[in-house]
Amino acid sequence: MSDYSTLSHLECSRDGSTHDADRVQGVSPAGAPLLARYDLDRVAVTPKEIAGRPPDLWRYHEMLPVRDPAHVVTLGEGMTPLLDLPRAGARLGVPGLRMKDEGLVPTGAFKARGAAVGVSRAAELGVRGVAMPTNGNAGAAWASYAARAGLGALIAMPVDAPEITRRECVVAGAELYLVDGLIGDAGKIVAEAVPRRQGWQETSTLKEPYRIEGKKTMGYEIVEQLGWRAPDVILYPTGGGVGIIAIHKALKEMRELGWLSGDLPRLVAVQASGCAPIVDAFEAGSSESVAPPDPHTVAFGITVPKALGDFLVLDAVRDTGGTAVAVTDEELLAAEHALARDEGTWICPEGGACMAAVGKLRESGWLDGSEDVVVLNTGSGLIYPDTVAVDVPTLAKDGRIA
Ligand SMILES: *Cc1c(COP(=O)(O)O)cnc(C)c1O
């Protein structure tokens, strides 16, 4: 067998049972997400050799599930910049502040990572179409990568999801439905439709094993970009929680590979106060979350009232000595605007939530200002045009500026 991938099996995240990785799988029999496991002792590449590979997420292919390089479906995703934020860091009292800017990936949000790996592996296993509910960005990404792979895509999203993401689905030729409800309602409709379609797979958040593998490359990249060293703290805008679970998984894999030593970075789950089930569960000392009654926030990507992997998010936070923080929409929008003025980078409101959380954690003393802190900006501000109001004068043709 080739070692392009060292994938060995799938493991139930709840009871540890083992499952075949070479057939199409959803959740485990226990109803929990399946995690991909690798024969890491067969990984022959060294960090130094990885440095010479092309600048995309496939540079970590030994730790990704696609077995045959011919099945890789790519639009150039990964190796996004890890930016210093000197002005913002000084303003917030955290000089060691950096931002991993996922606004630069195809489709404008980090969902492209999960879609690239998830779609590639689905195609490799013979899937003909992928179907999913979405709050917008994931649907746009999966529709785009499905088109690239020549697969069908069935997407259902709330009518309130950002309009641009509808257009991204439509332009990529996906079959799109708008649902007069929340993502959970869209999910029920999709789950009912998929079994009636031969060869189609439901690829809802954490209901297939490989989206998490794509997202974990954010963790590999942060560590590689810091010279194979982990930061002290990573803040992540948490909806379904795939990214934070995935970064935690990547960090543990790198430790097992001997590529990373010492304490893992403290992982911080950031949510919007209008939808903060993980924060509530963290504060209550509970291992599972309870859906809030009226979930709402402008940070649409993190409007997830009840995540299938909530227990894994809480474990990632607690295992690393991290925390969970909620910020208001007002705070996260102010942080989005402030960062653009400070550093010239227009982040998404979810990224804004993390920037606002840095300020809060510094004020509370949880951050003492000496730490290396990495904030995940999960998307571009360009896909959230309505978060910036433009109130400027219009001049006559022969007008004059004072
Ligand atoms: C989906 C999304 C998130 C949340 O991602 P999870 O990994 O599912 O928690 C954050 N930000 C943006 C922009 C998103 O689209």
Side-chain angles (χ1 to χ4, degrees), residues 108-111 135-138 205 211 215 218 236-244 300-302 304 348-351 377-380 383-384:
F110 81 116
K111 292 289 193 304
N135 274 333
N137 289 332
T205 306
R211 185 198 294 215
K215 289 190 175 183
M218 291 187 290
Y236 185 82
T238 304
V242 184
I244 192 166
F300 217 84
I302 53 176
V304 181
C348 62
E350 294 83 354
N377 172 47
T378 40
S380 167
I383 50 183
Y384 297 79

Side-chain angles (χ1 to χ4, degrees), residues 285-298:
S286 155
S287 61
E288 303 215 351
S289 64
V290 177
D294 171 32
H296 61 275
T297 162
V298 292

